[in-house]
Amino acid sequence: MENRLERIKKHLHSQSYKLTPQREATVMVLLEHEEDHLSAEDVYLLVKDKAPEIGLATVYRTLELLAELKIVDKINFGDGVSRFDLRKEGAAHFHHHLVCIECGAVDEIEEDLLGDVEKVVERDYNFKIKDHRLTFHGICYRCKDQYVDESEEESKEMQNQA
């Protein structure tokens, strides 16, 4: 984690920004909760545990700066809440997500599944792609069995009513 923090610090310096204590606290929270898809408010609450003097506005500004510098990706899963996700080191593109409409779980797909699609879009539409995002909404493996059971019960009830 220290190596990653040092690389983020170097990236900030290369763009004429410093890794202030407030920014460092925010980055550390993101590093410690890399799998969690935290909202700005979530990040703020976790930062407050480390540095109570840091305000919500500072956390918001820091997250927006990190998004602008492509250190984090700002994502929305259709629920009106922006979440922040550390960009994977060396990744040419943003990773993809599976969002469960039952429990709200968010799983990641690390593979870039759209390489061929990008080539077609660039060729056929004369469009230079800089990045892409793909989010699937459905029922996760954790809820799938329960969902199938409920669907079967509903189907049986409808048959009995007919």
Side-chain angles (χ1 to χ4, degrees), residues 6 28 106 134:
E6 189 59 34
M28 287 304 295
V106 178
L134 181 62

Side-chain angles (χ1 to χ4, degrees), residues 6-100:
E6 189 59 34
R7 287 190 294 275
I8 290 171
K9 180 180 180 179
K10 286 179 182 176
H11 184 71
L12 284 166
H13 281 241
S14 75
Q15 302 296 313
S16 302
Y17 293 99
K18 292 182 180 176
L19 184 63
T20 63
Q22 298 88 346
R23 289 176 184 157
E24 184 172 349
T26 303
V27 169
M28 287 304 295
V29 162
L30 292 168
L31 286 168
E32 291 165 2
H33 298 271
E34 197 166 353
E35 303 299 319
D36 294 337
H37 304 95
L38 300 171
S39 69
E41 291 78 14
D42 294 334
V43 173
Y44 168 69
L45 292 173
L46 292 165
V47 166
K48 289 294 282 182
D49 290 341
K50 293 179 178 302
E53 72 282 359
I54 297 175
L56 180 60
T58 300
V59 171
Y60 268 106
R61 282 192 304 272
T62 299
L63 290 170
E64 290 298 329
L65 174 65
L66 295 173
E68 183 181 315
L69 297 176
K70 297 197 182 312
I71 294 169
V72 299
D73 289 304
K74 185 176 180 178
I75 51 179
N76 188 313
F77 296 126
D79 59 0
V81 177
S82 292
R83 298 183 195 316
F84 296 86
D85 203 3
L86 273 171
R87 189 174 270 256
K88 302 294 183 214
E89 286 189 289
H93 292 288
F94 186 66
H95 57 270
H96 309 304
H97 293 95
L98 307 171
V99 179
C100 181

Side-chain angles (χ1 to χ4, degrees), residues 77 79 98-107 136-151 154:
F77 296 126
D79 59 0
L98 307 171
V99 179
C100 181
I101 60 175
E102 291 293 315
C103 70
V106 178
D107 296 315
F136 293 95
H137 297 263
I139 300 164
C140 71
Y141 66 90
R142 294 172 288 273
C143 296
K144 193 173 174 186
D145 291 338
Q146 179 182 344
Y147 182 80
V148 168
D149 291 344
E150 289 174 6
S151 295
E154 289 174 10

Side-chain angles (χ1 to χ4, degrees), residues 151-162:
S151 295
E152 287 175 1
E153 286 179 26
E154 289 174 10
S155 179
K156 287 178 186 176
E157 283 180 29
M158 291 179 76
Q159 288 174 354
N160 289 339
Q161 291 174 355

